[in-house]
Amino acid sequence: MKHPWHKIAVLTLAGLALTACSTEEDTAASASPGGDAGDIKVVMLLNDQFDPYYLTLVKGAEEKAEELGIDFSWQAPTTLDVASQTQLLQSIAATKPDGIIMSALDADAMVAPMKQVQDSGIPIVTVDSDVNDASARLATFKSDGKVNGEMAADEMAELLGGEGKVGYVGYTPGIQSVDIRLQGWTEQLEEHAGLDNEGEQYAGADIAENAAKASALMSRVPDLAGIYASWTNATIGAANAVQQAGKSEDVVVIGVDASPDEVALLQQGQVDALMVQKPYDMGKDAVEALVEHAQGGEDPDSENLYDVVIATPENVDDPDISQYLYVKPESE
C-alpha cells in the first residue's frame, strides 16, 4: 500500500541483510576512474519515500542521470531513525556503486558509518542535510540554511511592521539543515529590536504533533504575532493550529519548503510566506559531480550552497517562483 507522503510509516525495517565486506579487487573495480558513463552506477539514499521535497531531489537526479546515460536508483528507509539509515547505507554500499548521494539524518551519528563507506572506496556526497565532519563525504549540495533563517526573520519583520512576539516550530534537533535555519532565525531576530523572540517548540514528523506544539506556543503567548515553521510538516501543522484557533488574521505563518499542500495553504491565505529551497538543482548537481569524479575529472567544491526564493500569495504563480515549487507525489 502506498502511504500518503505526509505520514511517516511506522513499519519495522526487518530482514535486511548487511554485507559490507568487500575484497580489494572489488573495491578497486568500483572506484576505478574513466570508462563510459553507462558503466557508472549512482545510488541516492534519502530520509523518506514520499515527501515532495525528496521527490523533487530525485527528479533532478533522475533527469541528469538520464542525460548522462548512467545507472541511477534511489532508496529510503521505512522508519525515520539513525539505525535504519545506517543499515540501508551499508546495504547500498555492499552493491559497490560508484557513488552514493544521501541526506544525513543526524549530523553527528552518521559520521562514522559514512566514513566506513568512504574508506571502502565509495565516495559520498550529501544533499540537503550534511554532517559535522567534512571528511566523511566528498562534497555537500545544500541550501544556505543560515540565510534561510535570516531571510525568514527579515520577512517576518516586514509583515509585522517591525513589532510583535514571534516563535519557532521545528523538527527535533539533530538534522543539520534544520538546526542551521534556527540559528539564522534566532541571530537575525536580534537585528529587529521590535520583535520579541518567545522561543522554540520542537516536534517530530507528525503533522498533528506539530499542530499541537504550535497551539501550545499560542497558549503560552496569547498575543503571539508570528510563527516561523522550519520545514514542510511544521508549516502545515502551524497553519492548521492557527486556523483552528481562529487567529488567521492575527498570527503570521512563515514556512519552509513548497510542497503542494503548503502551496495550497499559501494560496488560501493560511500561510503568509514560504522559504522555497531548490532540491531539483541539488539532485542534478550531485549526480553530475559524482559522474565527473568517477571518470577521473575534477572533484567538486567541498561545500556548494544554494539560495532560497520567497513565495507569497502575490507572487507564487510568477514563473521565477513557480519553477521551484515541489513535485506532487504520485498518489495525488
Side-chain angles (χ1 to χ4, degrees):
M1 182 178 71
K2 198 167 184 66
H3 300 277
W5 71 266
H6 52 76
K7 296 181 181 177
I8 298 298
V10 293
L11 304 175
T12 302
L13 189 64
L16 182 61
L18 304 180
T19 53
C21 299
S22 64
T23 65
E24 291 183 3
E25 181 179 350
D26 287 339
T27 299
S30 173
S32 61
D36 295 332
D39 298 328
I40 295 173
K41 175 182 176 181
V42 172
V43 182
M44 179 178 278
L45 167 58
L46 296 176
N47 291 354
D48 69 52
Q49 304 170 10
F50 25 74
D51 188 328
Y53 177 89
Y54 292 126
L55 296 180
T56 307
L57 258 170
V58 168
K59 182 180 179 182
E62 285 180 333
E63 293 187 357
K64 176 55 69 171
E66 183 177 0
E67 175 189 326
L68 297 176
I70 70 161
D71 180 351
F72 173 83
S73 62
W74 71 282
Q75 300 183 43
T78 53
T79 55
L80 195 63
D81 57 72
V82 170
S84 295
Q85 187 173 60
T86 299
Q87 289 179 331
L88 193 50
L89 172 62
Q90 292 171 335
S91 179
I92 290 170
T95 70
K96 304 294 185 296
D98 295 283
I100 296 173
I101 302 168
M102 64 179 289
S103 175
L105 185 57
D106 188 288
D108 293 315
M110 292 307 300
V111 169
M114 287 170 60
K115 278 189 172 183
Q116 183 180 25
V117 170
Q118 284 228 134
D119 288 346
S120 75
I122 302 171
I124 295 175
V125 299
T126 60
V127 289
D128 175 48
S129 196
D130 196 19
V131 286
N132 289 331
D133 185 345
S135 69
R137 45 67 171 172
L138 175 67
T140 188
F141 297 83
K142 63 183 181 180
S143 291
D144 191 328
K146 193 166 185 293
V147 169
N148 187 320
E150 291 170 349
M151 290 174 63
D154 291 341
E155 183 74 5
M156 185 69 76
E158 182 173 343
L159 292 173
L160 294 179
E163 296 183 353
K165 297 179 180 180
V166 299
Y168 168 94
V169 177
Y171 196 78
T172 304
I175 296 182
Q176 188 195 74
S177 58
V178 182
D179 294 346
I180 292 176
R181 284 172 218 157
L182 174 57
Q183 178 188 351
W185 159 260
T186 302
E187 292 179 358
Q188 191 66 10
L189 285 180
E190 297 176 1
E191 302 298 317
H192 299 285
L195 296 185
D196 298 324
N197 185 2
E198 298 296 332
E200 298 82 41
Q201 291 282 341
Y202 299 106
D206 185 68
I207 290 176
E209 182 186 1
N210 281 278
K213 294 292 186 177
S215 295
L217 179 61
M218 289 187 288
S219 295
R220 179 168 61 83
V221 187
D223 55 345
L224 188 75
I227 296 174
Y228 172 46
S230 68
W231 73 292
T232 300
N233 287 9
T235 303
I236 297 170
N240 289 347
V242 169
Q243 184 178 26
Q244 290 166 7
K247 293 188 174 183
S248 297
E249 298 298 322
D250 304 314
V251 180
V252 167
V253 176
I254 294 179
V256 174
D257 292 322
S259 72
D261 286 349
E262 287 177 286
V263 172
L265 289 168
L266 182 74
Q267 293 168 330
Q268 295 162 13
Q270 301 303 317
V271 169
D272 297 272
L274 291 172
M275 316 304 294
V276 183
Q277 303 184 80
K278 298 178 178 179
Y280 179 93
D281 292 348
M282 297 177 207
K284 170 178 65 70
D285 294 345
V287 166
E288 189 168 33
L290 279 176
V291 170
E292 185 165 354
H293 175 82
Q295 293 179 318
E298 185 175 347
D299 283 346
D301 292 338
S302 176
E303 185 174 69
N304 302 271
L305 300 179
Y306 297 76
D307 62 358
V308 299
V309 297
I310 301 178
T312 66
E314 293 75 28
N315 73 6
V316 68
D317 293 324
D318 188 313
D320 290 338
I321 302 297
S322 62
Q323 65 176 312
Y324 297 112
L325 303 182
Y326 304 170
V327 302
K328 294 182 179 180
E330 292 180 3
S331 60
E332 292 192 2

